[in-house]
């Protein structure tokens, strides 16, 4: 009986999926399986290079990645041109700008839509799980080590305020 319950709950987890069952193209166009980040905490961010929030966000995101990566954490950045058309450049240009200006140290993905008919499946999933969509550049979703979407942060929430939540999630290592 217990065994049956266990198998059933495993099957449900499989069907329900989790963040780390998806894949996306990286900024060089290569398919990246998000399973590569499973077992870690992720902060998923829709980024744009020409936004009023760009500089402070990259500064803080680079600092988070530097501080927490070795404990099992990644910022995962998805460029998106849907808010004020503030990410108009090609992926190659975005990449070189980010490396040059901010020394970006976390994974960058290809430009995607985060809403609308062409919304990327990853963002559809984030919406299904939270009922929240980005309303501007630099909205954030925090994912725990098992791939569960734990929290949505609006653009206006300072990255510094997310720090506590990240530290809390990083403590749980046993269940993935
Ligand atoms: C992730 O969140 C889910 C839902 O709250 C929870 O059941 C699971 O134990 C969490 N996993 C980790 C590793 O924190």
């Amino acid at each position: 009986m217990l065994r049956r319950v266990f198998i059933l709950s495993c099957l449900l987890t499989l069907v329900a999926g989790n963040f780390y069952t998806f894949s996306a193209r990286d900024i060089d166009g290569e398919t990246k399986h998000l399973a590569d980040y499973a077992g870690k905490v992720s902060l998923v961010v829709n980024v744009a290079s020409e936004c009023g929030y760009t500089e402070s966000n990259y500064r803080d995101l680079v600092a988070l990645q530097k501080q927490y990566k070795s404990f099992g954490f990644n910022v995962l950045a998805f460029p998106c041109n849907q808010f004020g058309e503030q990410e108009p450049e090609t992926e190659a240009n975005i990449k070189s700008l980010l490396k040059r200006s901010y020394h970006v140290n976390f994974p960058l993905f290809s430009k995607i839509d985060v809403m609308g008919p062409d919304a990327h499946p990853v963002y559809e999933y984030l919406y299904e799980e939270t009922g929240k969509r980005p309303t501007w550049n630099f909205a954030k979703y925090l994912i725990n080590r098992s791939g569960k979407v734990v929290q949505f942060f609006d653009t206006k929430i300072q990255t510094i305020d997310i720090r506590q939540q990240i530290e809390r999630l990083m403590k749980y290592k046993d269940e993935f």
Side-chain angles (χ1 to χ4, degrees), residues 94-112:
I94 294 168
K95 182 179 172 181
S96 64
L97 171 92
L98 294 183
K99 299 273 176 200
R100 193 174 61 238
S101 304
Y102 305 109
H103 307 288
V104 164
N105 52 356
F106 46 78
L108 297 165
F109 292 85
S110 285
K111 217 152 119 173
I112 58 157

Side-chain angles (χ1 to χ4, degrees), residues 144-146 148 172 175:
N144 79 8
R145 292 182 188 268
S146 346
K148 177 83 191 160
Y172 296 98
E175 289 185 59

Side-chain angles (χ1 to χ4, degrees), residues 52 56 79 137:
S56 59
N137 304 307

Side-chain angles (χ1 to χ4, degrees), residues 3-165:
R3 191 179 153 80
R4 213 176 283 170
V5 169
F6 176 74
I7 291 171
L8 192 66
S9 77
C10 289
L11 278 175
L12 277 176
T13 308
L14 274 179
V15 172
N18 73 68
F19 179 77
Y20 299 119
T21 61
F22 287 85
S23 56
R25 281 188 306 123
D26 70 14
I27 197 141
D28 301 313
E30 304 288 327
T31 298
K32 185 84 187 157
H33 296 286
L34 300 185
D36 291 357
Y37 307 111
K40 297 180 178 167
V41 173
S42 300
L43 187 66
V44 182
V45 192
N46 59 296
V47 297
S49 303
E50 301 179 3
C51 178
Y53 296 105
T54 300
E55 224 177 288
S56 59
N57 266 274
Y58 275 112
R59 191 189 55 222
D60 292 345
L61 292 170
V62 164
L64 287 179
Q65 182 77 8
K66 192 169 174 188
Q67 182 176 2
Y68 295 131
K69 184 183 181 3
S70 61
F71 302 103
F73 170 81
N74 286 293
V75 172
L76 304 177
F78 291 81
C80 173
N81 196 37
Q82 288 182 294
F83 302 107
E85 299 187 12
Q86 294 177 340
E87 191 72 294
E89 290 290 330
T90 61
E91 271 102 351
N93 287 349
I94 294 168
K95 182 179 172 181
S96 64
L97 171 92
L98 294 183
K99 299 273 176 200
R100 193 174 61 238
S101 304
Y102 305 109
H103 307 288
V104 164
N105 52 356
F106 46 78
L108 297 165
F109 292 85
S110 285
K111 217 152 119 173
I112 58 157
D113 281 2
V114 300
M115 58 185 182
D118 298 323
H120 193 281
V122 164
Y123 268 83
E124 280 304 303
Y125 176 73
L126 294 171
Y127 171 66
E128 279 164 24
E129 291 293 300
T130 58
K132 305 260 169 64
R133 289 187 197 281
T135 55
W136 199 248
N137 304 307
F138 298 103
K140 302 171 184 80
Y141 296 87
L142 192 57
I143 318 292
N144 79 8
R145 292 182 188 268
S146 346
K148 177 83 191 160
V149 189
V150 173
Q151 205 173 338
F152 172 79
F153 301 92
D154 187 52
T155 304
K156 294 203 185 78
I157 302 198
Q158 302 273 317
T159 308
I160 229 76
D161 295 332
I162 302 172
R163 197 175 279 272
Q164 232 178 350
Q165 286 289 59

